[in-house]
Each structure stands twice: as structure tokens, then as C-alpha cells.
Amino acid sequence: MSGAGDDHDLHESLRTNVRDLCARFSDTYWRELEVDRAYPEAFVTTLTEAGYLASLIPEEYGGSGLGITEAAIILEEINRSGANSAACHAQMYIMGTLLRHGSDEQKARYLPAIASGRLRLQAFGVTEPTTGSDTTQLKTEAIRTGDRYVVNGQKVFISRAEHSDLLLLLVRTTPIDKVQKRSDGLSVLLVDMREAIGHGITIRPIRTMMNHATTELFIENLVVPVENLIGQEGKGFRYLLDGLNAERILIAAECVGDGRWFIERCRRYATERVVFGRPIGQNQGVQFPIATAHIKIEAANLMRDRAAELFDQGRPCGAEANMAKYLAAEASWEAANVAVQTFGGYGFAEDYDIERKFRETRLYQVAPVSTNLILSYVAEHVLGLPRSY
Ligand SMILES: Cc1cc2nc3c(=O)[nH]c(=O)nc-3n(C[C@H](O)[C@H](O)[C@H](O)COP(=O)(O)OP(=O)(O)OC[C@H]3O[C@@H](n4cnc5c(N)ncnc54)[C@H](O)[C@@H]3O)c2cc1C
């Protein structure tokens, strides 16, 4: 059994090792990728080879069997280095669907390959153009004929689909007017993208304000063998919910990482930049916003630690995970804004990376879930207020 001291040492060495790895990928590396909106292939490969993306995969399947606390530390350190975990974070949280609900055969087939890096499971297809946040209304349908499903529909903002071998796809297998609850009748299919592209799936990249490799998927008569159904047919929405706490905690950690990166850059710049014969950071008008942003990041971090601790103990953590994501996304955005102000004109110059991280961290108030939906969760499920949708 490990004690608190052992955990502290493990976490510190994990942080040091991830930092050392990230230091091999400079600001210039990330900046240059932006020009062509290129995928950080070398970075993702290096992380995979070092085993970090397999941290949540149990040891029996070739992963390191660590907890969400450690996975969160890895993603936090990536973002804290100036890099962007969005290139690869999904592998950590969507793998849980396969681990918790996949059959023994599916787990034995895919998890060791994912852990070793032979296969990438980086894509999760939920969002659709006509239904957005209202997930249970999604229109992509899979009709079973014999031992296969035939899938038709459309997905939007499906990230890393071009860089992933596998896609977890949420589809409706029973029409909504034939189920008792609208959350019934949805299923998760594991799609092999190497076979599907050009044979049922067409990908159209969506250029966004940051380098994010997101895409639109057009699905036409895609054939998926029934053996690729994860868990039970019709229970897919439940499986999606099961993975949300992990996702919220990991995204919160990324935001904390972004926030700490902004604060550190502000601290250095405000100390070095001399205007009116004094470092700008000597002016309280400059230092107070930085201090305020720092306080908010550290407060969000406490909530993230609490949520991760509960998660790893197998205790309910929906409230804490959602609140951590909310607080951290707000705090990183405030830190980003303060950084632009602190850097003045240079905050807008690409060479300083502030504007890049500013764009990147803004995402987390919209995706993977928008702030309003988190507030709605807390209002309804934590405070018992009337359901609004
Ligand atoms: C870069 C990027 C990457 C993404 N990656 C993925 C991915 O890999 N896989 C995937 O499945 N999806 C992905 N998404 C989609 C993302 O999860 C959705 O954009 C998000 O869930 C919101 O859905 P929407 O864009 O359709 O907004 P809408 O649902 O149309 O909402 C628009 C606005 O209205 C608000 N709103 C809607 N209904 C209510 C309500 N009842 N009460 C209060 N406010 C409400 C929302 O909060 C939001 O601010 C990604 C999105 C982006 C931008």
C-alpha cells in the first residue's frame, strides 16, 4: 500500500518526466504547426512511446494502471509547458468506455494495441449539426441486418478523426418514438477508420481559430460488424455519462496547466519589461490582475484535486468534477486575458505565443461541454432546482 508521501514522490517524478519530454518540443515547434494547421505527429508519437497516453489502461493490458489523479497531472504538465493536450487527450478518457463496457474479447484485442501505440483511439463522434448539445436527439442511425449494422448520418466537430485508427461512434439503434426514455436506444459502435474512410465515411476538415484537427463526418451506408458494438445495444447514453467525470477532471487539469503557463509568462514579462523607468509589474494596476488570476487558478486546482481524489476512491464525484471543469475553464480564460493585457501589443504577436494559448484555452468553455450545461447540471443535480431541459 502506498502512503501519502509515496504518492507525493510519484507525482513529483511524473511531473519532472513529463516536463522533460515536453521541453523537447519548443514554442517554435507549436508555432510552426499552426501555419499549416498540422497535427503534432512527433509530439503525440513521443508521448505514446513514453507510455503516457496509456496511463489509465490497466497493467494486464500493457498500460501503467495509474489513476485519474496521475492522468490529470500528465495533461496539466503538457499544457503548462506551452503545448496542447487537445492533440491527444481523448485517448485517455474515451478509452474508459472500452475498458468499462467492452467485452473481454474487445479489450484483449484493442487495449494492448492502444497501449503500445500500434492503434490510436483518439476520436469520439457524438455531436451532430442539427442537434448540438441535445445529445439524445441525435439523428445518426444504425440499422441492424443480420450480423452487421448499416449506419447513416452526419457528425460535426469530430476531432482527430483523420489521425485516429479507431472512432467511438454514438448512434441511435432504436428510433426515439419507440423508446420509453429519450436516453434509451442509443449505442456505441467501435469504427475502424482505416476501413471506413472512403467506404462509408467521408471526412471534411473544419478550420477553426486554433490548430485543432477537427472535422465533419458524412456517414453513408457505413457497415459496422455487430461484434464492434460496445456493451449492450441501447445503453450507449449511459456509457457516455459514465465517462464524463473523467473527461471533466482531465479538462480541468489542462486548464490549470494553461493558467499556470499564462501566470508564469506574465510574472517573467512583468518583471523584465521596463516602461516609465520601472518594471511594469511594479505597478499594482499590472500586478493585481495577475495575482487575482493566480488565486483563481489555484482555487480551481483544489477542486480538481478533490474531484480526482473522489474519482480514484470510486466515490461519487459528479458535482466536484463539473465544478472543477467550470472553475478551471473560467480561471484559465481570465489568466489568458490578463496575459494579453500584461504583454500589451506583444500579446497579439505570434512570436510570443500568448495569442496562441489564448485561442486554445477559450475552447474549454464550449467543448467538450459548454459552461451553461455545467451550470444546468449543478442547478438541477446538486441544488435540486427544477429541470430546465
Ligand atoms: C474545436 C472543437 C472540438 C470538438 N471536438 C468534439 C469531438 O471530438 N467530438 C464530439 O462529439 N464533439 C466535439 N465538439 C463539439 C462540442 O462538444 C460542441 O460544440 C458542444 O457540445 C456544443 O454544441 P454546439 O456547438 O452544437 O452548440 P449548441 O448546442 O448549439 O449550443 C450553442 C450555445 O447555446 C447554449 N445552449 C444550448 N442549449 C441551452 C440550454 N438549454 N440552456 C442554456 N444554454 C443552452 C450552449 O451552452 C452554447 O453556448 C467539439 C467542438 C469544438 C469547437
Side-chain angles (χ1 to χ4, degrees), residues 9-20:
D9 292 348
L10 168 74
H11 294 166
E12 284 312 302
S13 76
L14 187 58
R15 283 184 187 280
T16 307
N17 293 338
V18 178
R19 267 178 215 168
D20 288 348

Side-chain angles (χ1 to χ4, degrees), residues 301-311 313 315 320:
N301 185 51
L302 290 178
M303 187 65 85
R304 156 266 183 118
D305 279 346
R306 178 70 183 139
E309 184 185 19
L310 289 171
F311 186 100
Q313 290 169 350
R315 292 164 63 193
E320 290 78 5

Side-chain angles (χ1 to χ4, degrees), residues 2-18 52 55 64-71 73-74 77 312:
S2 70
D6 297 339
D7 280 351
H8 178 77
D9 292 348
L10 168 74
H11 294 166
E12 284 312 302
S13 76
L14 187 58
R15 283 184 187 280
T16 307
N17 293 338
V18 178
Y52 290 123
S55 62
S64 39
L66 295 170
I68 205 80
T69 303
E70 290 77 27
I73 286 173
I74 292 167
E77 286 297 335
D312 284 334

Side-chain angles (χ1 to χ4, degrees), residues 45-250:
T45 301
T46 307
L47 267 185
T48 309
E49 284 170 355
Y52 290 123
L53 297 184
S55 62
L56 289 170
I57 297 179
E59 284 172 299
E60 60 180 301
Y61 294 112
S64 39
L66 295 170
I68 205 80
T69 303
E70 290 77 27
I73 286 173
I74 292 167
L75 296 184
E76 179 203 325
E77 286 297 335
I78 291 173
N79 280 38
R80 192 175 178 172
S81 78
N84 187 0
S85 301
C88 52
H89 57 188
Q91 181 141 313
M92 284 201 181
Y93 51 78
I94 64 184
M95 180 280 306
T97 307
L98 180 58
L99 182 63
R100 278 186 300 273
H101 305 290
S103 65
D104 288 345
E105 198 274 326
Q106 286 168 335
K107 287 191 275 191
R109 183 161 166 209
Y110 294 110
L111 290 177
I114 295 168
S116 72
R118 269 185 295 120
L119 284 181
R120 276 192 195 155
L121 172 59
Q122 289 283 10
F124 197 21
V126 176
T127 310
E128 298 196 0
T130 59
T131 47
S133 309
D134 196 359
T135 306
T136 61
Q137 299 298 321
L138 62 78
K139 302 282 181 282
T140 298
E141 62 169 10
I143 295 177
R144 184 170 173 169
T145 43
D147 59 358
R148 50 187 221 159
Y149 289 101
V150 178
V151 188
N152 281 284
Q154 196 176 333
K155 297 279 173 183
V156 72
F157 295 121
I158 309 309
S159 304
R160 301 161 299 275
E162 295 167 293
H163 307 281
S164 184
D165 302 302
L166 302 170
L167 160 77
L168 282 179
L169 187 66
L170 190 68
V171 296
R172 185 158 277 291
T173 38
T174 308
I176 197 152
D177 56 3
K178 299 232 164 39
V179 289
Q180 282 193 325
K181 284 194 338 220
R182 59 191 170 163
S183 52
D184 290 340
L186 294 169
S187 303
V188 176
L189 301 179
L190 186 65
V191 176
D192 191 327
M193 295 297 274
R194 295 163 301 174
E195 293 165 7
I197 295 175
H199 300 95
I201 292 191
T202 306
I203 301 189
R204 188 179 71 85
I206 301 175
R207 205 175 155 96
T208 56
M209 71 180 187
M210 64 289 182
N211 182 13
H212 196 90
T214 199
T215 69
E216 194 163 9
L217 303 183
F218 300 90
I219 307 171
E220 205 181 337
N221 295 326
L222 170 72
V223 173
V224 181
V226 167
E227 65 187 35
N228 285 22
L229 171 73
I230 303 289
Q232 277 180 271
E233 189 180 284
K235 303 274 185 228
F237 192 70
R238 183 77 256 154
Y239 303 160
L240 176 74
L241 295 184
D242 282 352
L244 291 187
N245 288 337
E247 179 195 276
R248 306 280 195 262
I249 295 167
L250 293 174

